[in-house]
């Protein structure tokens, strides 16, 4: 069976989430987030993160990231992230649009973890000349990182310390936060506010939802403007209960963790198979559900011709990205490995 390792966005919607959408559709409910299901999701998120939170639901990760960044910055701010960051490479100029022109600065670092020294240097140089400079406002990290690595609480705390020492905020792109949590033993709180994260975009779309992401602020005072940015940016759903229904089902019985664990388990099997192959070598990732491998072009071409799906990753040499999801089957993995080795 040909494997689809193109993206976790290629996966479908989990049946329990479809069921929740159908159930939410019975009868009527107040619009724009004033419904009971939305309130329930807000309190579920507070229990999950073990603290008071302000949570806004939106339907894309770009919106969650950019509304979050806009809330924590002004139009003359600087935002600092890794060169591989989704906000730097994959969100067009949405960060600039939503923030009103805040400037993005990028740094290097192994495994798409922003290098701390380079970050400090870039922040200090770019912000050194008062009114003539940008005002350093936010360090943005991703967990999982864009090269499939998992950040530990200690690593996150180091970014937080750097940010706090300079009066800045720490934002986390958590499009694959579920995979990061499932990849270790620390709690969602340990991986966020207890390590100094101010706001998180908590993804569900890649992991079983149809289109739902939660923008979570761990200090409600910092979230006051978020509602306005969401409305102005056209992301306040009138039939908001359909966003809430997805998240309610996603959090019920820890479905989010179960699906991310399934996806990570598939990745472990795939990674083990590839590590034994003479036709590919592992370059990065594998902590969660993303792996970056090197293959000769003819090997990759052969796999694509057999119907397997994956993409080249141009920033690494001869690299290809493989992504598993909660729908990945062992048959897909085993057939891919067999074809890779044939
Ligand atoms: C790291 C990361 N952040 C955010 C997103 C969300 O993007 P989208 O706006 O396509 O939902 C993605 C999706 O590919 C991602 O990989």
């Amino acid at each position: 069976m040909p494997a689809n390792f193109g993206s976790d966005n290629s996966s479908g919607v989990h049946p329990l989430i479809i069921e929740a959408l159908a159930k939410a559709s019975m009868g009527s409910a107040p619009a724009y987030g004033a419904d009971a299901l939305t309130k329930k999701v807000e309190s579920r998120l507070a229990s999950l993160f073990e603290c008071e939170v302000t949570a806004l639901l939106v339907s894309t990760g770009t919106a969650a990231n950019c509304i979050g960044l806009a809330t924590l910055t002004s139009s003359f701010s600087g935002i600092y992230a890794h060169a591989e960051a989704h906000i730097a490479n994959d969100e067009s100029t949405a960060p600039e649009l939503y923030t009103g022109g805040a400037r993005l600065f990028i740094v290097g670092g192994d495994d798409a973890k922003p290098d701390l020294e380079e970050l400090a240097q870039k922040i200090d140089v770019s912000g050194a000349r008062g009114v003539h400079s940008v005002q350093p406002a936010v360090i943005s990290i991703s967990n999982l990182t864009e090269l499939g690595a998992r950040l530990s609480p200690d690593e996150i705390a180091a970014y937080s310390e750097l940010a706090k020492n300079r009066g800045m905020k720490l934002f986390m792109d958590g499009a694959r936060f579920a995979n990061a949590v499932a990849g270790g033993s620390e709690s969602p709180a340990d991986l966020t506010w207890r390590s100094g994260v101010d706001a998180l975009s908590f993804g569900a779309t890649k992991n079983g939802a149809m289109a739902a992401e939660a923008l979570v602020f761990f200090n409600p005072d910092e979230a006051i403007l978020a509602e306005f940015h969401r409305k102005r940016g056209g992301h306040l759903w009138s039939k908001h209960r359909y966003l809430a229904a997805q998240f309610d089902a996603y959090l019920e019985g820890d479905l989010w963790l179960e699906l991310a664990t399934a996806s990570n388990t598939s990745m472990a099997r795939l990674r083990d198979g590839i590590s034994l192959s003479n036709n590919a070598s592992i370059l990065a990732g594998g902590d969660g559900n993303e792996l970056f491998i090197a293959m000769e072009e003819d090997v990759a071409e052969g796999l694509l011709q057999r119907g397997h799906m994956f993409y080249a990753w141009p920033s690494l040499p001869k690299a290809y990205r493989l992504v598993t999801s909660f729908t990945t089957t062992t048959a897909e993995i085993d057939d891919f490995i067999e074809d890779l080795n044939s």
Side-chain angles (χ1 to χ4, degrees):
M1 182 191 188
N4 190 328
F5 298 141
S7 169
D8 31 12
N9 281 328
S10 303
S11 63
V13 181
H14 191 275
L16 288 172
I17 292 180
I18 292 282
E19 212 175 275
L21 282 165
K23 199 166 154 216
S25 209
M26 289 173 194
S28 55
Y32 297 110
D35 60 289
L37 212 43
T38 298
K39 303 286 165 249
K40 190 174 161 204
V41 167
E42 285 163 359
S43 81
R44 274 191 190 279
L45 286 167
S47 334
L48 178 69
F49 287 100
E50 305 173 61
C51 70
E52 196 189 340
V53 298
T54 296
L56 282 76
L57 303 184
V58 291
S59 54
T60 72
T62 298
N65 284 344
C66 294
I67 293 167
L69 291 173
T71 306
L72 299 175
T73 59
S74 69
S75 54
F76 37 84
S77 292
I79 298 169
Y80 303 80
H82 193 277
E84 293 274 1
H86 202 263
I87 59 166
N89 287 328
D90 301 291
E91 300 186 1
S92 182
T93 51
E96 289 84 346
L97 174 75
Y98 275 82
T99 60
R103 187 172 303 160
L104 214 51
F105 292 87
I106 56 168
V107 300
D110 293 344
D111 300 320
K113 300 177 182 180
D115 181 78
L116 278 165
E117 265 179 45
E118 205 188 326
L119 260 184
Q121 206 236 1
K122 203 146 254 186
I123 292 166
D124 293 344
V125 170
S126 62
R129 295 177 50 249
V131 73
H132 303 283
S133 302
V134 299
Q135 306 302 300
V138 171
I139 294 175
S140 182
I141 53 177
S142 304
N143 206 10
L144 303 175
T145 74
E146 280 79 358
L147 288 181
R150 179 181 189 273
L151 294 172
S152 69
D154 283 351
E155 288 173 308
I156 298 165
Y159 293 117
S160 164
E161 196 187 328
L162 182 63
K164 302 292 174 291
N165 284 343
R166 287 160 174 77
M168 299 168 69
K169 303 291 177 200
L170 183 62
F171 181 80
M172 180 180 280
D173 176 342
R176 296 188 180 87
F177 184 70
N179 302 92
V181 175
S185 57
E186 297 95 354
S187 68
D190 291 338
L191 288 167
T192 55
W193 63 271
R194 278 200 197 112
S195 305
V197 172
D198 293 292
L200 163 80
S201 58
F202 178 23
T205 309
K206 294 175 189 304
N207 190 37
M210 180 181 288
E213 316 276 311
L215 171 58
V216 183
F217 291 89
F218 300 104
N219 178 355
D221 289 347
E222 285 166 7
I224 291 165
L225 295 179
E227 297 270 8
F228 296 98
H229 285 295
R230 177 172 63 171
K231 177 66 189 178
R232 180 171 181 255
H235 270 276
L236 175 58
W237 278 30
S238 54
K239 292 193 174 178
H240 194 276
R241 70 184 191 271
Y242 294 98
L243 286 176
Q246 294 177 68
F247 247 93
D248 188 43
Y250 190 56
L251 298 176
E252 169 71 30
D254 281 341
L255 179 66
W256 66 284
L257 207 47
E258 181 190 319
L259 300 183
T261 302
S263 169
N264 288 4
T265 303
S266 290
M267 176 49 73
R269 186 180 182 98
L270 180 62
R271 188 189 57 209
D272 290 350
I274 290 173
S275 67
L276 298 173
S277 174
N278 293 325
N279 291 334
S281 58
I282 292 175
L283 297 171
D287 289 351
N289 67 327
E290 289 180 297
L291 190 71
F292 296 79
I293 64 172
M295 290 184 279
E296 292 303 329
E297 219 172 287
D298 59 328
V299 175
E301 200 45 49
L303 287 164
L304 291 168
Q305 271 168 17
R306 286 178 157 128
H308 299 293
M309 182 61 203
F310 53 87
Y311 293 108
W313 197 259
S315 66
L316 298 174
K318 292 183 186 169
Y320 298 86
R321 184 185 76 159
L322 309 178
V323 190
T324 54
S325 78
F326 69 99
T327 57
T328 301
T329 62
T330 49
E332 280 180 273
I333 298 166
D334 295 350
D335 287 4
F336 181 89
I337 299 292
E338 195 181 318
D339 289 341
L340 173 66
N341 291 332
S342 65

